[in-house]
Amino acid sequence: PQFFFLSAAHRAALYRLRIAVKLQRGLCLVLGDVGTGKTTLSRRLAQLLPQDGPIDLHVVLNPYFESDQQFLLALMESFHLEVPTSPLPIRAMLAAIERHLFGRVVEGGRIVTLLIDEAQQLSASNLELLRALLNYETHDTKLLQLVLMAQMECLPTLRSIRNLWDRISLKYVLNPLDERETKELVAFRLSQAGFTDREPLFTEEAVREIYYATQGYPRRIALLCHDALERLVMDHQPTVSVELIRTLVGRERELQAV
């Protein structure tokens, strides 16, 4: 997270998510293609939310489950509930989670928040269960705050569950960086790593080529820059040139064509 570059879009997403959780608005959704920074954003959000108030944060990083029972058991574990030794009916597990939420939120004054990364792995029936959990509320308080980070591919599934889609209080799409932000990301990460030389490590032309080659996707930018710096060390060169970037991109395309 300390290398997380806050572009204008990432900064806005982070700010709006923190506000939505603090105001207990219920369901928030952040969408983005692979490599746009959703996971890093979720980690940064997980660092910051506990500073925003009495927030109980629970994180699910790999939400692939073979059954609804397995999914609810994982949620019970995440909420630190006693997990039954033998399978319980779904209704009983939902009731146990509801009692926990009521105790923490209404009686304990906490804001219980569930953050699910890679939410495109959730099945339609898993999403229906989350909708059921979002139904738990008092006259003025939603018992569960839910943040879903997902790839764009899950959009049709979410839209098909109309009574879940209508509950989304915040929808945000993370797009790739532009050329200026790509340059800023490279400079930021070098600075975070301790680079202090007065001369730039990447030429202007090299950075422009990095942007064209990666289309502004942060993960691709980081990988290409890493490969470039590795070659710099191996070849005993002082600066990443546009020629080096083109060579690396050409080799990557050759490997993809094999």
Side-chain angles (χ1 to χ4, degrees), residues 64-197:
Y64 174 77
F65 304 100
E66 296 180 352
S67 67
D68 290 341
Q69 286 86 351
Q70 190 181 77
F71 175 49
L72 289 177
L73 283 173
L75 292 187
M76 292 179 71
E77 288 180 350
S78 180
F79 291 140
H80 309 298
L81 298 180
E82 184 178 350
V83 177
T85 55
S86 57
L88 286 177
I90 287 178
R91 183 177 299 178
M93 287 189 280
L94 284 173
I97 293 174
E98 181 182 16
R99 288 193 298 271
H100 170 74
L101 294 175
F102 187 88
R104 295 298 293 167
V105 177
V106 178
E107 298 172 357
R110 308 293 295 178
I111 300 175
V112 179
T113 305
L114 177 63
L115 169 61
I116 301 181
D117 194 16
E118 303 292 349
Q120 73 278 353
Q121 298 186 47
L122 293 169
S123 66
S125 59
N126 291 162
L127 292 170
E128 286 284 2
L129 291 173
L130 289 176
R131 181 193 60 77
L133 293 176
L134 289 169
N135 282 337
Y136 300 149
E137 56 186 28
T138 64
H139 291 301
D140 56 0
T141 304
K142 298 180 186 297
L143 298 186
L144 178 66
Q145 310 310 308
L146 179 61
V147 179
L148 300 179
M149 302 275 190
Q151 294 176 20
M152 299 297 294
E153 66 193 53
C154 82
L155 202 50
T157 303
L158 287 168
R159 281 178 171 159
S160 69
I161 308 174
R162 192 66 192 180
N163 51 4
L164 178 65
W165 180 256
D166 290 343
R167 287 176 175 270
I168 302 175
S169 63
L170 170 61
K171 303 181 183 80
Y172 199 93
V173 177
L174 286 176
N175 293 309
L177 308 180
D178 59 25
E179 185 175 341
R180 176 184 57 80
E181 290 173 326
T182 298
K183 180 179 179 180
E184 291 173 353
L185 180 147
V186 173
F188 170 78
R189 291 180 68 111
L190 286 173
S191 175
Q192 288 294 98
F195 180 73
T196 57
D197 201 311

Side-chain angles (χ1 to χ4, degrees), residues 23-72:
L23 295 181
Q24 297 176 265
R25 297 191 62 202
L27 175 56
C28 299
L29 172 66
V30 176
L31 294 167
D33 289 329
V34 175
T36 49
K38 297 183 302 299
T39 295
T40 313
L41 178 68
S42 68
R43 290 174 179 168
R44 184 62 179 150
L45 181 65
Q47 283 183 332
L48 295 174
L49 277 180
Q51 304 173 19
D52 292 341
I55 296 174
D56 292 349
L57 178 63
H58 307 277
V59 181
V60 177
L61 295 176
N62 185 28
Y64 174 77
F65 304 100
E66 296 180 352
S67 67
D68 290 341
Q69 286 86 351
Q70 190 181 77
F71 175 49
L72 289 177

Side-chain angles (χ1 to χ4, degrees), residues 190-206:
L190 286 173
S191 175
Q192 288 294 98
F195 180 73
T196 57
D197 201 311
R198 292 184 180 181
E199 295 298 322
L201 199 55
F202 291 77
T203 67
E204 291 281 346
E205 294 78 10

Side-chain angles (χ1 to χ4, degrees), residues 231-255:
R231 292 299 309 178
L232 213 61
V233 174
M234 293 171 63
D235 297 342
H236 303 288
Q237 296 297 317
T239 308
V240 176
S241 64
V242 65
E243 291 78 16
L244 174 55
I245 296 298
R246 288 172 179 167
T247 298
L248 292 173
V249 171
R251 289 177 181 174
E252 179 63 25
R253 289 173 178 164
E254 290 175 1
L255 288 174

